Amino acid sequence: MGEHKAPRHLLVQARGDGCPLFTSTAGFHSVAPDDFTIGLSVGDPALGLPEGLAHGLVSWNAAPPPEGPDAKAALRKHVKTGLGLAQSVARHLGPEWVVRYWDARHGSAKFVCWGCSRLHWTLESHGTPPHPLHMTIMAEYHWAPFRAEGFGDFLPDAPVAALDLPGDLVDDLYTWALDFDAAMNRYVAERDEERNDAERLALERRGEELTHRVACVLKPGRTVTYAGVA
């Protein structure tokens, strides 16, 4: 997603027929659920939902909580299941969509953060953007490997980033940053220019590979650039 392109809006609401996903042309001025009148199929290519998540949404929508003596408990369970599905949808779609969830128990709609999955009454309550979108990877002595405007430097598994990177990639980024620090310490102690040049070249290449791996797993709408070694 380019920075000029506004995100699309999605409401997750069980209405008992069709599909529980709806969009609106009103954008940020949408008032759920009245403005969300355009139904979206769980198989819509624009969403690209995983098969398991799509099936879960359809099943949840088709099974409203029963009435009777256990109605309140059933409604709580139904709402909790729907929330989990809405959080999964938001995480999958990332910053290119703004996801709201309609809580039938309380009769309210809240924004679902695509990064931390928390619910908010307004987008502004979580910051704009809530997590860094355009990042740089760089090795610098005693600095974390990621940079982003307004966020400074941060680690690959920092909650503020909500990168959701695979564990092995997180470990490799940590190791790369620590290896750069170790190489700098050796150079200061030994002043071996030839060894330092070789180590920096190897670290430079590892950083390029790591940046490529990060780019391959980032959510749509997020970018990463490699800035080399300091």
Side-chain angles (χ1 to χ4, degrees), residues 19-43:
C19 175
L21 303 179
F22 304 89
T23 189
S24 169
T25 58
F28 286 100
H29 301 289
S30 302
V31 178
D34 295 341
D35 290 331
F36 288 83
T37 57
I38 305 170
L40 289 181
S41 166
V42 293

Side-chain angles (χ1 to χ4, degrees), residues 46-50 53 86-95 97 114 219-220:
L47 300 174
L49 298 179
L53 178 54
Q87 290 168 327
S88 295
V89 169
R91 284 194 299 269
H92 170 78
L93 296 177
W97 290 77
W114 53 266
K219 298 295 184 185

Side-chain angles (χ1 to χ4, degrees), residues 174-228:
Y174 268 96
T175 300
W176 178 65
L178 292 172
D179 286 350
F180 178 82
D181 288 352
M184 289 294 293
N185 289 333
R186 275 192 297 274
Y187 175 69
V188 170
E190 301 172 1
R191 296 297 176 178
D192 186 333
E193 297 288 350
E194 185 174 347
R195 178 177 183 177
N196 183 59
D197 288 345
E199 289 186 330
R200 287 178 64 86
L201 180 59
L203 287 163
E204 179 87 32
R205 290 172 176 169
R206 284 170 59 192
E208 290 178 358
E209 178 190 358
L210 288 167
T211 303
H212 176 72
R213 289 170 60 190
V214 170
C216 288
V217 297
L218 283 180
K219 298 295 184 185
R222 307 186 86 175
T223 63
V224 62
T225 302
Y226 184 50

Side-chain angles (χ1 to χ4, degrees), residues 127-159:
T128 305
H131 304 290
L133 299 182
H134 307 293
M135 297 157 286
T136 298
I137 290 179
M138 180 179 182
E140 190 169 0
Y141 188 65
H142 281 187
W143 282 58
F146 282 89
R147 314 277 190 283
E149 185 176 356
F151 294 89
D153 70 309
F154 54 91
L155 294 167
D157 55 353

